[in-house]
Amino acid sequence: MIRVRVHIQGIVQGVGFRPFVYRQAAAHSLTGWVMNTPAGVVLEAQGETPEVESFVVGLRDQAPPLAVIQALRTEGIPPAEDIGFAIRPSGGTGETVVIAPDGDVCVDCLAELFDPADRRYRYPFINCTNCGPRYSIIQGVPYDRTLTTMARFAMCPACLAEYEDPAHRRFHAQPNACPDCGPQLRLLDRRGEEVPGDPLAAAIELLQAGRILAVKGVGGYHLAVDAAHENAVAELRRRKQRDEKPFALMAPDLAALAGYAVCDAVAAKQLQGPERPIVLLPKGRPNRIASLVAPGNGYFGVMLPGTPLHHLLLRDRFGALVMTSGNLSNEPICYKDTETLSRLADIADFFLTHDREIHIRNDDSVIRVFRGQPVFLRRSRGYAPRPVTLPAAQPQVLAVGAELKGTVCLTRGDKAFVSQHLGDLKNIATLDSMEETIRHLESILKIRPQVVAHDLHPDLLSTAYAENRAGLPSMEVQHHHAHLASCMAENSLEGEAIGVIFDGTGYGPDGTVWGGEFLVGGYQRFERWGHLLPMPLPGGDAAVREPWRMALAWLHRLYGEKLVDLSLACPAEVASSDRRLILQMLEKRINTPLTSSCGRLFDAVASLLGLRQKVSYEGQAAIELEALAETSQDVEVCPFDLSEVDGRTVLDFGDMLRIMAEEVGKNLPKAPLARRFHNTLAAAATAVCEKIRAARGLDRVVLSGGVFQNRLLSEELCARLEKKGFQVFTQRLVPPNDGGLALGQAIIAGRSELCV
Ligand code: ZN
Ligand code: ZN
Ligand code: FE
């Protein structure tokens, strides 16, 4: 007979952990108790030695699906007297409670959902302690029904009995409900009038008939149409004014998905996790998905049903539904019922909605798989607000990111809580969403920041927020330094590392636009060791929307006035008056700010290859260039030039662009050139890292910035660096794009003098 005390930290509260412990203890005939404390779950268990030992192993191995165990410590203590195994009331206040993200319906609830004998048969709000909404319905802490949007639903006797039974899967399941006592589904037309009859059956019929429905999900509304219905998809595109940006798909299950996308075991695991992200999967050919779902793109973004309602909508009815965020372009996803009706009335024909309110909006997460691990393109529903563990505890800070792909980050001890995706902070609606999210996270996590960190760019809405936040000092952080720190932090690195930071746009302290940077540094300082050759950006931001302008800037540099003689897609496809105007700008250096951006280098090459002269969404040219390169096995590397300017290494790809221009002029296949561009960029970056290692003795390289959403470049660069003996670190917990910036800002602020 032995007795142990076990301390467990992580996401172990509000996820059915105590009932799980109770059932495990019963299965091993143990006595003792379990309770929630501010420091996590504490339990004592007593019984036969082998039973106690296998009980402890099971705590980790068989933990409930939504639990994340970060630390489990066991100590032997003297046996004591117990009456059975008890779940004790919580001790202390919830200062260190970690709120669980929203999760999909679990296998047990799913079985009940489709069991005609079950009292929750086809009930869209079925859940238990292992599944269901969390973050999106929580209004305050402690996590208790009265502080969720379920407070207005009084449990019926049957639900209450489950809720109070420690042996039941619904013990203290705060959103517990049934058709008799819980939320109800409704179908509304666009005037807000209720459509009579069974809302679910009617919604399915409408979708089959090609109508556009707004469907209320976990963190907001989706716009749904049948993905096989060409006209419906075209109409949705027209009404949403979204020219080419891909629409996400929802598949009923993996079998249906195999009919149109290529899904390996790693991707399948990600798709099936409780987080239910959108996963980018190569398109399968041929397939029945409407061509306008993801035009000009080699991938479909696919997710599996994320709520019981989605299962009910899709099962046996559709091969896939388009499920795109319910918003107007550039605005955050709609989540409030009344506001949604008015804002989406010109897009949706009908609204499939219900009366369980969403307290905080939370858009879908998007990932792709790289080396068997997810890479976040957007980290949101299912992951937020799960914390990233920092290498060390630090004072509490708030970081507000930059502009694109906004997220905020709050720290407490060694935990950094990165918010859900907020969208591009370019309008008041998105700024409001950011302020709301900051208030919400500060309240439920009980964090009072000492400092607000923000981007160095003076004109951003996030910068204005930080500088105007009453009573708190603000701290500016250079954009690419934040990228470097973000990648170091999630990999628990201390000291200094080499940062290869490739992205689109970031404000440089010298007044130019940075974005192809080789940094050396850590959390407290950094230096710009090298960068891509600064090139004129004709027309500033307009060049971001029109890649041909960057191509022209390169051709102008390489050929001067002779460039008009070249037979290239880039000058040819563009009106000659536009071309002349840009050439004049380049000649006279008017409105041509300099940029070392790597994203703009992708643009120039995509334009030169005749791939794309204008883009309708950020990163489009680079995405299409990567897709083309993936079809080639070319291993050649073009020459590149490294020179010293003002004590910094400048990387010049002029020779490569000249070769590209000449090859394209000969009308040779373009895929090998696209591939060669990736090879050359990787080889050149490796060469710069070797120079830095020779000078500084550093052999750890971190890769960050939006360009590393590119799988092919990441793979090429990692492989080349590793071959040269570097240790390479990439972002796996937060996005490499600006969605991960706030994490870097937060640790830089936390380690700064402002916080000492
Ligand atoms: Zn469940
Ligand atoms: Zn009930
Ligand atoms: Fe960036």
Side-chain angles (χ1 to χ4, degrees), residues 479-480 483 503-505 705-706 737-738 741:
H479 191 98
H480 303 94
H483 275 304
D503 72 353
T505 299
N737 62 41
D738 289 1
L741 215 57

PDB file of all heavy atoms in Angstrom, residues 479-480 483 503-505 705-706 737-738 741, ligand 3:
ATOM      1  N   HIS A 479      10.512  45.932 -36.278  1.00  0.00           N
ATOM      2  CA  HIS A 479       9.713  44.843 -36.832  1.00  0.00           C
ATOM      3  C   HIS A 479      10.484  43.517 -36.941  1.00  0.00           C
ATOM      4  O   HIS A 479      10.024  42.471 -36.471  1.00  0.00           O
ATOM      5  CB  HIS A 479       9.240  45.287 -38.224  1.00  0.00           C
ATOM      6  CG  HIS A 479       8.215  44.423 -38.834  1.00  0.00           C
ATOM      7  ND1 HIS A 479       6.868  44.731 -38.785  1.00  0.00           N
ATOM      8  CD2 HIS A 479       8.303  43.263 -39.515  1.00  0.00           C
ATOM      9  CE1 HIS A 479       6.188  43.792 -39.411  1.00  0.00           C
ATOM     10  NE2 HIS A 479       7.033  42.892 -39.875  1.00  0.00           N
ATOM     11  N   HIS A 480      11.671  43.581 -37.532  1.00  0.00           N
ATOM     12  CA  HIS A 480      12.380  42.324 -37.793  1.00  0.00           C
ATOM     13  C   HIS A 480      13.102  41.809 -36.555  1.00  0.00           C
ATOM     14  O   HIS A 480      13.329  40.606 -36.424  1.00  0.00           O
ATOM     15  CB  HIS A 480      13.303  42.500 -39.006  1.00  0.00           C
ATOM     16  CG  HIS A 480      12.525  42.938 -40.213  1.00  0.00           C
ATOM     17  ND1 HIS A 480      12.391  44.266 -40.560  1.00  0.00           N
ATOM     18  CD2 HIS A 480      11.758  42.241 -41.082  1.00  0.00           C
ATOM     19  CE1 HIS A 480      11.592  44.360 -41.607  1.00  0.00           C
ATOM     20  NE2 HIS A 480      11.200  43.160 -41.944  1.00  0.00           N
ATOM     21  N   HIS A 483      10.431  39.721 -35.092  1.00  0.00           N
ATOM     22  CA  HIS A 483      10.370  38.403 -35.747  1.00  0.00           C
ATOM     23  C   HIS A 483      11.462  37.479 -35.191  1.00  0.00           C
ATOM     24  O   HIS A 483      11.216  36.310 -34.885  1.00  0.00           O
ATOM     25  CB  HIS A 483      10.570  38.550 -37.261  1.00  0.00           C
ATOM     26  CG  HIS A 483       9.319  38.879 -38.038  1.00  0.00           C
ATOM     27  ND1 HIS A 483       8.182  38.108 -37.986  1.00  0.00           N
ATOM     28  CD2 HIS A 483       9.035  39.877 -38.919  1.00  0.00           C
ATOM     29  CE1 HIS A 483       7.253  38.613 -38.804  1.00  0.00           C
ATOM     30  NE2 HIS A 483       7.742  39.697 -39.370  1.00  0.00           N
ATOM     31  N   ASP A 503      10.511  38.927 -45.114  1.00  0.00           N
ATOM     32  CA  ASP A 503       9.072  39.187 -45.152  1.00  0.00           C
ATOM     33  C   ASP A 503       8.750  40.272 -46.164  1.00  0.00           C
ATOM     34  O   ASP A 503       9.581  40.606 -47.028  1.00  0.00           O
ATOM     35  CB  ASP A 503       8.505  39.473 -43.758  1.00  0.00           C
ATOM     36  CG  ASP A 503       8.907  40.821 -43.198  1.00  0.00           C
ATOM     37  OD1 ASP A 503       9.741  41.509 -43.816  1.00  0.00           O
ATOM     38  OD2 ASP A 503       8.378  41.200 -42.137  1.00  0.00           O
ATOM     39  N   GLY A 504       7.560  40.822 -46.074  1.00  0.00           N
ATOM     40  CA  GLY A 504       7.117  41.790 -47.059  1.00  0.00           C
ATOM     41  C   GLY A 504       7.570  43.192 -46.709  1.00  0.00           C
ATOM     42  O   GLY A 504       8.391  43.791 -47.398  1.00  0.00           O
ATOM     43  N   THR A 505       7.078  43.693 -45.589  1.00  0.00           N
ATOM     44  CA  THR A 505       7.295  45.079 -45.246  1.00  0.00           C
ATOM     45  C   THR A 505       7.479  45.233 -43.746  1.00  0.00           C
ATOM     46  O   THR A 505       6.709  44.706 -42.963  1.00  0.00           O
ATOM     47  CB  THR A 505       6.058  45.920 -45.647  1.00  0.00           C
ATOM     48  OG1 THR A 505       5.880  45.804 -47.051  1.00  0.00           O
ATOM     49  CG2 THR A 505       6.235  47.370 -45.280  1.00  0.00           C
ATOM     50  N   GLY A 705       9.524  35.512 -40.495  1.00  0.00           N
ATOM     51  CA  GLY A 705       9.015  36.437 -41.510  1.00  0.00           C
ATOM     52  C   GLY A 705       8.054  35.696 -42.426  1.00  0.00           C
ATOM     53  O   GLY A 705       8.143  34.474 -42.606  1.00  0.00           O
ATOM     54  N   GLY A 706       7.134  36.459 -43.006  1.00  0.00           N
ATOM     55  CA  GLY A 706       6.052  35.867 -43.788  1.00  0.00           C
ATOM     56  C   GLY A 706       6.511  35.014 -44.963  1.00  0.00           C
ATOM     57  O   GLY A 706       5.804  34.093 -45.379  1.00  0.00           O
ATOM     58  N   ASN A 737       4.621  34.716 -40.047  1.00  0.00           N
ATOM     59  CA  ASN A 737       4.212  36.031 -40.553  1.00  0.00           C
ATOM     60  C   ASN A 737       3.926  36.984 -39.382  1.00  0.00           C
ATOM     61  O   ASN A 737       4.205  36.658 -38.223  1.00  0.00           O
ATOM     62  CB  ASN A 737       3.003  35.881 -41.491  1.00  0.00           C
ATOM     63  CG  ASN A 737       1.789  35.306 -40.773  1.00  0.00           C
ATOM     64  OD1 ASN A 737       1.502  35.664 -39.634  1.00  0.00           O
ATOM     65  ND2 ASN A 737       1.078  34.406 -41.428  1.00  0.00           N
ATOM     66  N   ASP A 738       3.334  38.133 -39.672  1.00  0.00           N
ATOM     67  CA  ASP A 738       3.164  39.134 -38.621  1.00  0.00           C
ATOM     68  C   ASP A 738       2.200  38.700 -37.508  1.00  0.00           C
ATOM     69  O   ASP A 738       2.115  39.360 -36.469  1.00  0.00           O
ATOM     70  CB  ASP A 738       2.724  40.475 -39.225  1.00  0.00           C
ATOM     71  CG  ASP A 738       3.871  41.131 -39.995  1.00  0.00           C
ATOM     72  OD1 ASP A 738       4.964  40.525 -40.052  1.00  0.00           O
ATOM     73  OD2 ASP A 738       3.673  42.230 -40.542  1.00  0.00           O
ATOM     74  N   LEU A 741       4.305  38.274 -34.517  1.00  0.00           N
ATOM     75  CA  LEU A 741       5.127  39.414 -34.125  1.00  0.00           C
ATOM     76  C   LEU A 741       4.950  39.814 -32.653  1.00  0.00           C
ATOM     77  O   LEU A 741       5.913  40.145 -31.970  1.00  0.00           O
ATOM     78  CB  LEU A 741       4.748  40.606 -35.008  1.00  0.00           C
ATOM     79  CG  LEU A 741       5.820  41.582 -35.415  1.00  0.00           C
ATOM     80  CD1 LEU A 741       6.960  40.890 -36.129  1.00  0.00           C
ATOM     81  CD2 LEU A 741       5.222  42.646 -36.317  1.00  0.00           C
TER      82      LEU A 741
HETATM   83 FE    FE B   3       6.762  41.010 -40.931  1.00  0.00          FE
END
